[in-house]
Amino acid sequence: MKRYWTVLMACLVLSGCRARPETLTPEDQALLNTVLRHFAAATDKWTATNCTHIYVADRTEANTGWISDRQLECELKPHSRTLDADVKRSLRHRSRRPVSLASLVVPDVTVCAPDDMPDFEYSYTNRVTDFKARISFWMPGHSRDGHTAVVRFGYGPLTHSRHPATGTYKLVKDSGNWRVAWALFGEYP
């Protein structure tokens, strides 16, 4: 029996189970904070422009087609925007599994389970809400040198559609702080 457990543990270690799960780092916190502050200031994205509160899902999204090379190219290419391959690879790699965002602290942002967020349908139907948006992030992707990052998220509600949209931010590190290089929003009718 002892040999069985030894062989099983060796197989798990050799298969990559020793890899640390992704966690929200202080650098990720700074990136998400920068994006949320910038995004909250965008007045053309909201159903109710007089509201200030944003709800953020308490876990990141797992890797989906929304962060594939093809999807990113479809959204970025028409605007002559690009992301380096290492940044996209990092985005996908870090988004393989959901990561807790419970430690994210940003003014006027509530981090909560998706089931506790205001409903898209209610917002669209009533056009009056107590919130600006609900957002679901993927883990940020970083360049190898640590000076460039991408933050990708789904959000809603929109003023003209029942469907959620996507946001893509490219950020660069400038004097130790992250700043937005550009932001693009993919809205689907």
Side-chain angles (χ1 to χ4, degrees):
M1 187 67 157
K2 184 177 178 184
R3 179 173 161 76
Y4 169 79
W5 288 110
T6 303
V7 170
L8 177 62
M9 292 307 291
C11 289
L12 289 173
V13 168
L14 292 174
S15 70
C17 287
R18 66 178 177 216
R20 275 189 6 230
E22 290 294 335
T23 58
L24 194 64
T25 66
E27 199 75 7
D28 295 328
Q29 290 258 8
L31 284 163
L32 297 181
N33 192 313
T34 300
V35 166
L36 283 165
R37 282 185 287 118
H38 187 273
F39 188 65
T43 57
D44 62 332
K45 302 287 174 221
W46 314 113
T47 301
T49 57
N50 60 337
C51 296
T52 59
H53 210 80
I54 294 175
Y55 289 84
V56 174
D58 63 349
R59 300 190 76 70
T60 60
E61 292 288 328
N63 193 357
T64 70
W66 291 103
I67 57 174
S68 69
D69 279 339
R70 185 174 184 179
Q71 181 66 37
L72 290 169
E73 185 177 326
C74 286
E75 292 180 30
L76 304 180
K77 192 174 182 178
H79 302 281
S80 301
R81 303 289 189 196
T82 60
L83 292 169
D84 292 336
D86 62 332
V87 175
K88 292 187 289 187
R89 201 170 19 258
S90 172
L91 172 69
R92 282 190 296 279
H93 176 78
R94 297 189 75 217
S95 297
R96 293 171 305 180
R97 293 179 190 86
V99 173
S100 174
L101 295 179
S103 63
L104 183 65
V105 178
V106 181
D108 294 321
V109 170
T110 297
V111 177
C112 60
D115 289 345
D116 295 334
M117 292 183 184
D119 181 77
F120 280 119
E121 186 64 31
Y122 172 84
S123 167
Y124 184 81
T125 303
N126 294 289
R127 297 283 185 197
V128 178
T129 65
D130 64 345
F131 71 103
K132 267 194 170 182
R134 49 185 277 166
I135 294 177
S136 188
F137 285 103
W138 282 273
M139 283 297 285
H142 301 271
S143 62
R144 284 192 190 113
D145 66 7
H147 294 291
T148 306
V150 63
V151 173
R152 178 96 164 144
F153 57 94
Y155 74 95
L158 303 176
T159 56
H160 60 280
S161 173
R162 294 173 190 246
H163 300 289
T166 56
T168 306
Y169 275 74
K170 180 179 179 180
L171 299 103
V172 293
K173 196 171 247 186
D174 188 18
S175 301
N177 295 311
W178 289 104
R179 71 171 174 78
V180 175
W182 52 257
L184 287 175
F185 304 99
E187 298 179 354
Y188 311 98

